Amino acid sequence: MIQKIRLFGDEVLRKTAEPITPEDPKAAQVVQDLLDTLGANEEFALAAPQIGYSYRIFIINPIWIEDEDKRTPMVFINPELLEYEGEQFMLEGCLSFPEIYEKVKRAQIVKFRAQDLHGKWKNYTGRELFARAAQHENDHLDGILFVDRISSIRRKLLHGKLKKMASTTKNGVNVG
Ligand SMILES: [Zn+2]
């Protein structure tokens, strides 16, 4: 089911998400809702807290695969980021912050592992966009948002906008 995207100011985005047993039917439901909601939006990655579920799950549509027919959204349950290499500094956006794009420094390569819906652990090496998405989405599971990772000067410049956004967000519904 398509769920409403939780916006900055919604407390669920600041919670540390709970691990979940992949075989738990709840996990399958969260994954389905993530897939449905991602499909209805224009971003390519989404974490469970962004649709109101405080569980350690995110999905990434591998848009770096050129042939769209060969893209299947990847599901990561209970991910653990293990190794970071290099640096990249690029504009980033987030569905929970409509129309805000800021440069964020991330590792160029990230090695991580995660479970699939059958509970099987798989290892991944994410590079560039994949690395960036894995770090951004994994942060969501720890209640960390991309505006926490921008320079303090940029954050000061955004302060008024973010304050306004938080004050108009009530229980995930943008009423402003
Ligand atoms: Zn995000």
Side-chain angles (χ1 to χ4, degrees), residues 46-76:
L46 194 59
Q50 291 182 278
I51 54 167
Y53 297 114
S54 197
Y55 290 116
R56 304 190 78 80
I57 304 176
F58 62 74
I59 63 167
I60 297 175
N61 189 12
I63 54 171
W64 52 89
I65 296 175
E66 280 189 26
D67 186 347
E68 282 188 36
D69 297 337
K70 289 187 179 149
R71 283 182 204 157
T72 309
M74 303 162 83
V75 174
F76 306 96

PDB file of all heavy atoms in Angstrom, residues 46-76:
ATOM      1  N   LEU A  46      14.391   4.503  -0.261  1.00  0.00           N
ATOM      2  CA  LEU A  46      13.439   4.851   0.794  1.00  0.00           C
ATOM      3  C   LEU A  46      13.693   3.961   2.017  1.00  0.00           C
ATOM      4  O   LEU A  46      13.938   2.762   1.878  1.00  0.00           O
ATOM      5  CB  LEU A  46      12.024   4.621   0.256  1.00  0.00           C
ATOM      6  CG  LEU A  46      10.830   5.193   1.010  1.00  0.00           C
ATOM      7  CD1 LEU A  46      10.918   6.725   1.143  1.00  0.00           C
ATOM      8  CD2 LEU A  46       9.523   4.813   0.306  1.00  0.00           C
ATOM      9  N   ALA A  47      13.613   4.568   3.194  1.00  0.00           N
ATOM     10  CA  ALA A  47      13.810   3.819   4.438  1.00  0.00           C
ATOM     11  C   ALA A  47      12.472   3.716   5.184  1.00  0.00           C
ATOM     12  O   ALA A  47      11.633   4.620   5.093  1.00  0.00           O
ATOM     13  CB  ALA A  47      14.845   4.527   5.313  1.00  0.00           C
ATOM     14  N   ALA A  48      12.299   2.607   5.920  1.00  0.00           N
ATOM     15  CA  ALA A  48      11.019   2.341   6.590  1.00  0.00           C
ATOM     16  C   ALA A  48      10.521   3.502   7.466  1.00  0.00           C
ATOM     17  O   ALA A  48       9.323   3.813   7.431  1.00  0.00           O
ATOM     18  CB  ALA A  48      11.114   1.038   7.388  1.00  0.00           C
ATOM     19  N   PRO A  49      11.405   4.172   8.242  1.00  0.00           N
ATOM     20  CA  PRO A  49      10.871   5.273   9.076  1.00  0.00           C
ATOM     21  C   PRO A  49      10.222   6.383   8.252  1.00  0.00           C
ATOM     22  O   PRO A  49       9.329   7.073   8.744  1.00  0.00           O
ATOM     23  CB  PRO A  49      12.124   5.797   9.796  1.00  0.00           C
ATOM     24  CG  PRO A  49      13.071   4.635   9.809  1.00  0.00           C
ATOM     25  CD  PRO A  49      12.835   3.917   8.506  1.00  0.00           C
ATOM     26  N   GLN A  50      10.633   6.517   6.995  1.00  0.00           N
ATOM     27  CA  GLN A  50      10.045   7.579   6.155  1.00  0.00           C
ATOM     28  C   GLN A  50       8.591   7.322   5.819  1.00  0.00           C
ATOM     29  O   GLN A  50       7.899   8.232   5.338  1.00  0.00           O
ATOM     30  CB  GLN A  50      10.839   7.740   4.857  1.00  0.00           C
ATOM     31  CG  GLN A  50      12.226   8.322   5.077  1.00  0.00           C
ATOM     32  CD  GLN A  50      12.931   8.488   3.743  1.00  0.00           C
ATOM     33  OE1 GLN A  50      13.481   7.551   3.213  1.00  0.00           O
ATOM     34  NE2 GLN A  50      12.885   9.696   3.196  1.00  0.00           N
ATOM     35  N   ILE A  51       8.135   6.072   6.019  1.00  0.00           N
ATOM     36  CA  ILE A  51       6.700   5.821   5.830  1.00  0.00           C
ATOM     37  C   ILE A  51       6.067   5.389   7.163  1.00  0.00           C
ATOM     38  O   ILE A  51       5.020   4.757   7.186  1.00  0.00           O
ATOM     39  CB  ILE A  51       6.417   4.805   4.697  1.00  0.00           C
ATOM     40  CG1 ILE A  51       7.170   3.491   4.894  1.00  0.00           C
ATOM     41  CG2 ILE A  51       6.758   5.408   3.337  1.00  0.00           C
ATOM     42  CD1 ILE A  51       6.677   2.358   3.982  1.00  0.00           C
ATOM     43  N   GLY A  52       6.758   5.750   8.256  1.00  0.00           N
ATOM     44  CA  GLY A  52       6.153   5.581   9.569  1.00  0.00           C
ATOM     45  C   GLY A  52       6.434   4.278  10.291  1.00  0.00           C
ATOM     46  O   GLY A  52       5.886   4.045  11.370  1.00  0.00           O
ATOM     47  N   TYR A  53       7.288   3.422   9.722  1.00  0.00           N
ATOM     48  CA  TYR A  53       7.629   2.153  10.383  1.00  0.00           C
ATOM     49  C   TYR A  53       9.031   2.251  10.970  1.00  0.00           C
ATOM     50  O   TYR A  53      10.004   2.395  10.236  1.00  0.00           O
ATOM     51  CB  TYR A  53       7.625   0.995   9.386  1.00  0.00           C
ATOM     52  CG  TYR A  53       6.302   0.691   8.744  1.00  0.00           C
ATOM     53  CD1 TYR A  53       6.108   0.880   7.384  1.00  0.00           C
ATOM     54  CD2 TYR A  53       5.247   0.176   9.502  1.00  0.00           C
ATOM     55  CE1 TYR A  53       4.902   0.574   6.778  1.00  0.00           C
ATOM     56  CE2 TYR A  53       4.033  -0.130   8.906  1.00  0.00           C
ATOM     57  CZ  TYR A  53       3.864   0.072   7.541  1.00  0.00           C
ATOM     58  OH  TYR A  53       2.672  -0.236   6.960  1.00  0.00           O
ATOM     59  N   SER A  54       9.116   2.128  12.296  1.00  0.00           N
ATOM     60  CA  SER A  54      10.431   2.243  12.927  1.00  0.00           C
ATOM     61  C   SER A  54      11.144   0.892  12.956  1.00  0.00           C
ATOM     62  O   SER A  54      11.402   0.317  14.019  1.00  0.00           O
ATOM     63  CB  SER A  54      10.267   2.829  14.339  1.00  0.00           C
ATOM     64  OG  SER A  54      11.500   3.300  14.802  1.00  0.00           O
ATOM     65  N   TYR A  55      11.422   0.376  11.770  1.00  0.00           N
ATOM     66  CA  TYR A  55      12.148  -0.892  11.618  1.00  0.00           C
ATOM     67  C   TYR A  55      13.354  -0.696  10.716  1.00  0.00           C
ATOM     68  O   TYR A  55      13.353   0.197   9.852  1.00  0.00           O
ATOM     69  CB  TYR A  55      11.241  -1.962  10.987  1.00  0.00           C
ATOM     70  CG  TYR A  55      10.149  -2.435  11.880  1.00  0.00           C
ATOM     71  CD1 TYR A  55       8.818  -2.215  11.543  1.00  0.00           C
ATOM     72  CD2 TYR A  55      10.439  -3.096  13.076  1.00  0.00           C
ATOM     73  CE1 TYR A  55       7.787  -2.644  12.377  1.00  0.00           C
ATOM     74  CE2 TYR A  55       9.416  -3.523  13.915  1.00  0.00           C
ATOM     75  CZ  TYR A  55       8.097  -3.293  13.561  1.00  0.00           C
ATOM     76  OH  TYR A  55       7.093  -3.708  14.387  1.00  0.00           O
ATOM     77  N   ARG A  56      14.365  -1.582  10.890  1.00  0.00           N
ATOM     78  CA  ARG A  56      15.618  -1.425  10.153  1.00  0.00           C
ATOM     79  C   ARG A  56      15.525  -2.067   8.755  1.00  0.00           C
ATOM     80  O   ARG A  56      16.048  -3.150   8.516  1.00  0.00           O
ATOM     81  CB  ARG A  56      16.790  -1.984  10.965  1.00  0.00           C
ATOM     82  CG  ARG A  56      16.890  -1.340  12.339  1.00  0.00           C
ATOM     83  CD  ARG A  56      18.159  -1.674  13.075  1.00  0.00           C
ATOM     84  NE  ARG A  56      19.295  -0.911  12.590  1.00  0.00           N
ATOM     85  CZ  ARG A  56      19.571   0.348  12.920  1.00  0.00           C
ATOM     86  NH1 ARG A  56      18.785   0.998  13.751  1.00  0.00           N
ATOM     87  NH2 ARG A  56      20.629   0.949  12.418  1.00  0.00           N
ATOM     88  N   ILE A  57      14.852  -1.378   7.884  1.00  0.00           N
ATOM     89  CA  ILE A  57      14.682  -1.836   6.495  1.00  0.00           C
ATOM     90  C   ILE A  57      14.796  -0.623   5.571  1.00  0.00           C
ATOM     91  O   ILE A  57      14.239   0.437   5.870  1.00  0.00           O
ATOM     92  CB  ILE A  57      13.282  -2.461   6.259  1.00  0.00           C
ATOM     93  CG1 ILE A  57      13.006  -3.609   7.240  1.00  0.00           C
ATOM     94  CG2 ILE A  57      13.147  -2.948   4.813  1.00  0.00           C
ATOM     95  CD1 ILE A  57      11.599  -4.206   7.113  1.00  0.00           C
ATOM     96  N   PHE A  58      15.538  -0.774   4.478  1.00  0.00           N
ATOM     97  CA  PHE A  58      15.446   0.222   3.410  1.00  0.00           C
ATOM     98  C   PHE A  58      15.508  -0.469   2.057  1.00  0.00           C
ATOM     99  O   PHE A  58      15.901  -1.640   1.960  1.00  0.00           O
ATOM    100  CB  PHE A  58      16.495   1.344   3.541  1.00  0.00           C
ATOM    101  CG  PHE A  58      17.949   0.956   3.471  1.00  0.00           C
ATOM    102  CD1 PHE A  58      18.543   0.607   2.268  1.00  0.00           C
ATOM    103  CD2 PHE A  58      18.742   0.996   4.625  1.00  0.00           C
ATOM    104  CE1 PHE A  58      19.896   0.298   2.203  1.00  0.00           C
ATOM    105  CE2 PHE A  58      20.104   0.681   4.573  1.00  0.00           C
ATOM    106  CZ  PHE A  58      20.678   0.329   3.354  1.00  0.00           C
ATOM    107  N   ILE A  59      15.079   0.248   1.043  1.00  0.00           N
ATOM    108  CA  ILE A  59      15.139  -0.297  -0.324  1.00  0.00           C
ATOM    109  C   ILE A  59      15.830   0.714  -1.237  1.00  0.00           C
ATOM    110  O   ILE A  59      15.782   1.924  -0.993  1.00  0.00           O
ATOM    111  CB  ILE A  59      13.741  -0.653  -0.886  1.00  0.00           C
ATOM    112  CG1 ILE A  59      12.852   0.595  -1.006  1.00  0.00           C
ATOM    113  CG2 ILE A  59      13.042  -1.696  -0.033  1.00  0.00           C
ATOM    114  CD1 ILE A  59      11.591   0.353  -1.828  1.00  0.00           C
ATOM    115  N   ILE A  60      16.492   0.190  -2.247  1.00  0.00           N
ATOM    116  CA  ILE A  60      17.166   1.042  -3.238  1.00  0.00           C
ATOM    117  C   ILE A  60      16.843   0.492  -4.627  1.00  0.00           C
ATOM    118  O   ILE A  60      16.991  -0.709  -4.878  1.00  0.00           O
ATOM    119  CB  ILE A  60      18.698   1.046  -3.033  1.00  0.00           C
ATOM    120  CG1 ILE A  60      19.065   1.655  -1.669  1.00  0.00           C
ATOM    121  CG2 ILE A  60      19.395   1.822  -4.179  1.00  0.00           C
ATOM    122  CD1 ILE A  60      20.560   1.598  -1.330  1.00  0.00           C
ATOM    123  N   ASN A  61      16.379   1.361  -5.510  1.00  0.00           N
ATOM    124  CA  ASN A  61      16.178   0.972  -6.901  1.00  0.00           C
ATOM    125  C   ASN A  61      17.504   1.222  -7.630  1.00  0.00           C
ATOM    126  O   ASN A  61      17.987   2.356  -7.656  1.00  0.00           O
ATOM    127  CB  ASN A  61      15.052   1.826  -7.496  1.00  0.00           C
ATOM    128  CG  ASN A  61      14.641   1.339  -8.872  1.00  0.00           C
ATOM    129  OD1 ASN A  61      15.023   0.249  -9.298  1.00  0.00           O
ATOM    130  ND2 ASN A  61      13.890   2.151  -9.563  1.00  0.00           N
ATOM    131  N   PRO A  62      18.117   0.201  -8.194  1.00  0.00           N
ATOM    132  CA  PRO A  62      19.457   0.386  -8.774  1.00  0.00           C
ATOM    133  C   PRO A  62      19.430   1.152 -10.094  1.00  0.00           C
ATOM    134  O   PRO A  62      19.590   0.570 -11.177  1.00  0.00           O
ATOM    135  CB  PRO A  62      19.967  -1.047  -8.949  1.00  0.00           C
ATOM    136  CG  PRO A  62      18.732  -1.864  -9.107  1.00  0.00           C
ATOM    137  CD  PRO A  62      17.636  -1.178  -8.339  1.00  0.00           C
ATOM    138  N   ILE A  63      19.259   2.472  -9.983  1.00  0.00           N
ATOM    139  CA  ILE A  63      19.110   3.290 -11.200  1.00  0.00           C
ATOM    140  C   ILE A  63      20.412   3.395 -11.991  1.00  0.00           C
ATOM    141  O   ILE A  63      20.418   3.909 -13.098  1.00  0.00           O
ATOM    142  CB  ILE A  63      18.587   4.712 -10.885  1.00  0.00           C
ATOM    143  CG1 ILE A  63      19.466   5.396  -9.830  1.00  0.00           C
ATOM    144  CG2 ILE A  63      17.145   4.672 -10.423  1.00  0.00           C
ATOM    145  CD1 ILE A  63      19.126   6.868  -9.648  1.00  0.00           C
ATOM    146  N   TRP A  64      21.516   2.900 -11.402  1.00  0.00           N
ATOM    147  CA  TRP A  64      22.782   2.894 -12.156  1.00  0.00           C
ATOM    148  C   TRP A  64      22.800   1.778 -13.209  1.00  0.00           C
ATOM    149  O   TRP A  64      23.668   1.741 -14.055  1.00  0.00           O
ATOM    150  CB  TRP A  64      23.984   2.774 -11.200  1.00  0.00           C
ATOM    151  CG  TRP A  64      23.874   1.629 -10.256  1.00  0.00           C
ATOM    152  CD1 TRP A  64      24.297   0.347 -10.464  1.00  0.00           C
ATOM    153  CD2 TRP A  64      23.288   1.661  -8.950  1.00  0.00           C
ATOM    154  NE1 TRP A  64      23.994  -0.424  -9.371  1.00  0.00           N
ATOM    155  CE2 TRP A  64      23.389   0.354  -8.426  1.00  0.00           C
ATOM    156  CE3 TRP A  64      22.692   2.664  -8.163  1.00  0.00           C
ATOM    157  CZ2 TRP A  64      22.914   0.016  -7.146  1.00  0.00           C
ATOM    158  CZ3 TRP A  64      22.230   2.328  -6.911  1.00  0.00           C
ATOM    159  CH2 TRP A  64      22.338   1.028  -6.418  1.00  0.00           C
ATOM    160  N   ILE A  65      21.819   0.861 -13.141  1.00  0.00           N
ATOM    161  CA  ILE A  65      21.685  -0.136 -14.210  1.00  0.00           C
ATOM    162  C   ILE A  65      20.929   0.539 -15.358  1.00  0.00           C
ATOM    163  O   ILE A  65      19.785   0.973 -15.168  1.00  0.00           O
ATOM    164  CB  ILE A  65      20.921  -1.386 -13.715  1.00  0.00           C
ATOM    165  CG1 ILE A  65      21.722  -2.077 -12.608  1.00  0.00           C
ATOM    166  CG2 ILE A  65      20.634  -2.359 -14.874  1.00  0.00           C
ATOM    167  CD1 ILE A  65      20.994  -3.248 -11.959  1.00  0.00           C
ATOM    168  N   GLU A  66      21.585   0.681 -16.501  1.00  0.00           N
ATOM    169  CA  GLU A  66      21.005   1.496 -17.572  1.00  0.00           C
ATOM    170  C   GLU A  66      19.681   0.952 -18.122  1.00  0.00           C
ATOM    171  O   GLU A  66      18.757   1.698 -18.382  1.00  0.00           O
ATOM    172  CB  GLU A  66      22.015   1.675 -18.709  1.00  0.00           C
ATOM    173  CG  GLU A  66      23.025   2.760 -18.364  1.00  0.00           C
ATOM    174  CD  GLU A  66      23.905   3.136 -19.527  1.00  0.00           C
ATOM    175  OE1 GLU A  66      23.474   2.961 -20.676  1.00  0.00           O
ATOM    176  OE2 GLU A  66      25.037   3.594 -19.268  1.00  0.00           O
ATOM    177  N   ASP A  67      19.620  -0.352 -18.288  1.00  0.00           N
ATOM    178  CA  ASP A  67      18.421  -0.969 -18.847  1.00  0.00           C
ATOM    179  C   ASP A  67      17.333  -1.044 -17.767  1.00  0.00           C
ATOM    180  O   ASP A  67      17.405  -1.851 -16.839  1.00  0.00           O
ATOM    181  CB  ASP A  67      18.770  -2.384 -19.361  1.00  0.00           C
ATOM    182  CG  ASP A  67      17.583  -3.027 -20.083  1.00  0.00           C
ATOM    183  OD1 ASP A  67      16.460  -2.503 -19.974  1.00  0.00           O
ATOM    184  OD2 ASP A  67      17.813  -4.051 -20.751  1.00  0.00           O
ATOM    185  N   GLU A  68      16.312  -0.176 -17.904  1.00  0.00           N
ATOM    186  CA  GLU A  68      15.280  -0.086 -16.862  1.00  0.00           C
ATOM    187  C   GLU A  68      14.581  -1.421 -16.601  1.00  0.00           C
ATOM    188  O   GLU A  68      14.145  -1.688 -15.482  1.00  0.00           O
ATOM    189  CB  GLU A  68      14.234   0.962 -17.241  1.00  0.00           C
ATOM    190  CG  GLU A  68      14.719   2.373 -17.000  1.00  0.00           C
ATOM    191  CD  GLU A  68      13.621   3.412 -17.199  1.00  0.00           C
ATOM    192  OE1 GLU A  68      12.456   3.127 -16.851  1.00  0.00           O
ATOM    193  OE2 GLU A  68      13.940   4.504 -17.706  1.00  0.00           O
ATOM    194  N   ASP A  69      14.454  -2.244 -17.648  1.00  0.00           N
ATOM    195  CA  ASP A  69      13.782  -3.532 -17.490  1.00  0.00           C
ATOM    196  C   ASP A  69      14.554  -4.479 -16.575  1.00  0.00           C
ATOM    197  O   ASP A  69      14.001  -5.444 -16.050  1.00  0.00           O
ATOM    198  CB  ASP A  69      13.581  -4.204 -18.859  1.00  0.00           C
ATOM    199  CG  ASP A  69      12.679  -3.377 -19.762  1.00  0.00           C
ATOM    200  OD1 ASP A  69      11.896  -2.567 -19.217  1.00  0.00           O
ATOM    201  OD2 ASP A  69      12.766  -3.546 -20.995  1.00  0.00           O
ATOM    202  N   LYS A  70      15.842  -4.217 -16.429  1.00  0.00           N
ATOM    203  CA  LYS A  70      16.667  -5.106 -15.595  1.00  0.00           C
ATOM    204  C   LYS A  70      16.803  -4.606 -14.160  1.00  0.00           C
ATOM    205  O   LYS A  70      17.479  -5.210 -13.347  1.00  0.00           O
ATOM    206  CB  LYS A  70      18.052  -5.272 -16.235  1.00  0.00           C
ATOM    207  CG  LYS A  70      17.978  -6.114 -17.506  1.00  0.00           C
ATOM    208  CD  LYS A  70      19.345  -6.424 -18.066  1.00  0.00           C
ATOM    209  CE  LYS A  70      19.194  -7.299 -19.316  1.00  0.00           C
ATOM    210  NZ  LYS A  70      20.269  -7.055 -20.291  1.00  0.00           N
ATOM    211  N   ARG A  71      16.152  -3.483 -13.864  1.00  0.00           N
ATOM    212  CA  ARG A  71      16.228  -2.944 -12.508  1.00  0.00           C
ATOM    213  C   ARG A  71      15.160  -3.577 -11.627  1.00  0.00           C
ATOM    214  O   ARG A  71      13.986  -3.532 -11.969  1.00  0.00           O
ATOM    215  CB  ARG A  71      15.956  -1.445 -12.530  1.00  0.00           C
ATOM    216  CG  ARG A  71      17.104  -0.620 -13.013  1.00  0.00           C
ATOM    217  CD  ARG A  71      16.690   0.847 -12.921  1.00  0.00           C
ATOM    218  NE  ARG A  71      17.461   1.638 -13.861  1.00  0.00           N
ATOM    219  CZ  ARG A  71      17.066   2.820 -14.340  1.00  0.00           C
ATOM    220  NH1 ARG A  71      15.907   3.329 -13.963  1.00  0.00           N
ATOM    221  NH2 ARG A  71      17.820   3.475 -15.185  1.00  0.00           N
ATOM    222  N   THR A  72      15.576  -4.147 -10.527  1.00  0.00           N
ATOM    223  CA  THR A  72      14.625  -4.624  -9.526  1.00  0.00           C
ATOM    224  C   THR A  72      15.025  -3.972  -8.214  1.00  0.00           C
ATOM    225  O   THR A  72      16.195  -4.053  -7.826  1.00  0.00           O
ATOM    226  CB  THR A  72      14.730  -6.155  -9.360  1.00  0.00           C
ATOM    227  OG1 THR A  72      14.650  -6.736 -10.661  1.00  0.00           O
ATOM    228  CG2 THR A  72      13.623  -6.696  -8.493  1.00  0.00           C
ATOM    229  N   PRO A  73      14.105  -3.316  -7.530  1.00  0.00           N
ATOM    230  CA  PRO A  73      14.482  -2.681  -6.261  1.00  0.00           C
ATOM    231  C   PRO A  73      15.112  -3.685  -5.299  1.00  0.00           C
ATOM    232  O   PRO A  73      14.656  -4.822  -5.179  1.00  0.00           O
ATOM    233  CB  PRO A  73      13.157  -2.144  -5.731  1.00  0.00           C
ATOM    234  CG  PRO A  73      12.333  -1.922  -6.953  1.00  0.00           C
ATOM    235  CD  PRO A  73      12.709  -3.041  -7.886  1.00  0.00           C
ATOM    236  N   MET A  74      16.197  -3.265  -4.668  1.00  0.00           N
ATOM    237  CA  MET A  74      16.928  -4.131  -3.742  1.00  0.00           C
ATOM    238  C   MET A  74      16.431  -3.871  -2.323  1.00  0.00           C
ATOM    239  O   MET A  74      16.234  -2.720  -1.931  1.00  0.00           O
ATOM    240  CB  MET A  74      18.427  -3.817  -3.838  1.00  0.00           C
ATOM    241  CG  MET A  74      18.974  -3.967  -5.256  1.00  0.00           C
ATOM    242  SD  MET A  74      20.569  -3.116  -5.461  1.00  0.00           S
ATOM    243  CE  MET A  74      21.667  -4.386  -4.805  1.00  0.00           C
ATOM    244  N   VAL A  75      16.246  -4.950  -1.577  1.00  0.00           N
ATOM    245  CA  VAL A  75      15.701  -4.861  -0.221  1.00  0.00           C
ATOM    246  C   VAL A  75      16.799  -5.170   0.792  1.00  0.00           C
ATOM    247  O   VAL A  75      17.503  -6.181   0.663  1.00  0.00           O
ATOM    248  CB  VAL A  75      14.538  -5.872  -0.056  1.00  0.00           C
ATOM    249  CG1 VAL A  75      14.056  -5.914   1.398  1.00  0.00           C
ATOM    250  CG2 VAL A  75      13.391  -5.525  -1.013  1.00  0.00           C
ATOM    251  N   PHE A  76      16.960  -4.314   1.771  1.00  0.00           N
ATOM    252  CA  PHE A  76      18.009  -4.504   2.786  1.00  0.00           C
ATOM    253  C   PHE A  76      17.356  -4.505   4.170  1.00  0.00           C
ATOM    254  O   PHE A  76      16.749  -3.509   4.582  1.00  0.00           O
ATOM    255  CB  PHE A  76      19.041  -3.383   2.699  1.00  0.00           C
ATOM    256  CG  PHE A  76      19.629  -3.230   1.312  1.00  0.00           C
ATOM    257  CD1 PHE A  76      19.115  -2.296   0.428  1.00  0.00           C
ATOM    258  CD2 PHE A  76      20.670  -4.042   0.887  1.00  0.00           C
ATOM    259  CE1 PHE A  76      19.643  -2.155  -0.851  1.00  0.00           C
ATOM    260  CE2 PHE A  76      21.207  -3.915  -0.387  1.00  0.00           C
ATOM    261  CZ  PHE A  76      20.691  -2.975  -1.264  1.00  0.00           C
TER     262      PHE A  76
END
